[in-house]
Amino acid sequence: MVYKKMLLASMALALVFFGCQADKQGIGEDELGLRKSTLFNENASIQAFDYEGAKAAGESTLLQRSFENAPPLISHSLEGLLPITKENNSCTSCHLPEIAEAVGAVAMPKSHFYNFRTHKDLKGQMDENRFNCVACHVPQVDAQPLVKNNFSPEFRQKDGISKSNLLDVLNEGVK
């Protein structure tokens, strides 16, 4: 009886091993993911879109938010604005609320002036954890989706397509 169990286990193991070896034409490492390049080479080119056609600030049409309170897309070229550091953040020269309206830019919402860890309003000072704008905001491009998407956003407020009310609704429904 023990001999039969060992024989069956050995046969099952052999089938699994040889079955895996039989299909050597599977998906290659350079076909995985959406970027279609190797995942094992840090120097691989990751050029999904051509950003050279990006317009200067104020010259392009801002695309609508993908969903309620989604970070707005960057509608202009980032040439000369990167890298963004705590000491050098060119985004704030146009997007601080007291400046934005005068230059026609989207103002940073009040959630950027609130410390979520300490639950404190920073009274107009930007939270130091928010300095890296491109961690959430990405350049907009006119490109076809890489995969089909049937998602359709629903905005609860009329201006939700262009403004954030995240700080107001963050704890909505929490008791």
Side-chain angles (χ1 to χ4, degrees):
M1 184 72 166
V2 173
Y3 175 72
K4 281 186 179 181
K5 285 184 180 179
M6 287 183 62
L7 181 62
L8 285 173
S10 299
M11 289 173 61
L13 188 59
L15 281 173
V16 169
F17 177 76
F18 288 114
C20 291
Q21 298 297 318
D23 186 19
K24 286 288 191 179
Q25 297 176 11
I27 297 173
E29 67 184 46
D30 58 342
E31 297 174 281
L32 294 172
L34 297 174
R35 65 183 186 180
K36 304 299 182 223
S37 64
T38 181
L39 302 175
F40 300 105
N41 181 356
E42 291 293 324
N43 297 321
S45 174
I46 306 173
Q47 288 183 303
F49 305 106
D50 178 14
Y51 293 115
E52 289 181 17
K55 297 181 179 180
E59 291 183 7
S60 61
T61 303
L62 184 62
L63 298 178
Q64 73 179 38
R65 293 174 189 240
S66 301
F67 52 89
E68 186 173 343
N69 288 311
L73 299 171
I74 301 169
S75 63
H76 55 79
S77 170
L78 294 176
E79 189 173 336
L81 301 177
L82 300 175
I84 297 171
T85 65
K86 283 184 181 181
E87 297 77 29
N88 183 24
N89 183 337
S90 299
C91 304
T92 58
S93 62
C94 292
H95 294 281
L96 284 173
E98 58 270 17
I99 300 170
E101 188 176 349
V103 297
V106 174
M108 293 167 30
K110 48 186 177 174
S111 61
H112 286 51
F113 305 95
Y114 186 85
N115 186 317
F116 288 100
R117 292 180 183 161
T118 62
H119 305 289
K120 290 194 169 120
D121 183 348
L122 301 175
K123 309 214 184 307
Q125 290 289 70
M126 188 171 78
D127 181 11
E128 65 179 32
N129 297 308
R130 301 284 189 137
F131 81 90
N132 187 7
C133 306
V134 293
C136 298
H137 304 276
V138 296
Q140 69 182 29
V141 293
D142 186 17
Q144 294 300 310
L146 296 173
V147 294
K148 184 178 178 183
N149 184 352
N150 294 325
F151 176 78
S152 179
E154 291 184 19
F155 298 93
R156 296 181 288 176
Q157 296 179 338
K158 275 187 176 181
D159 63 353
I161 203 163
S162 61
K163 293 190 184 286
S164 172
N165 67 342
L166 180 65
L167 198 58
D168 299 329
V169 300
L170 193 62
N171 293 315
E172 197 173 81
V174 177
K175 293 181 181 181

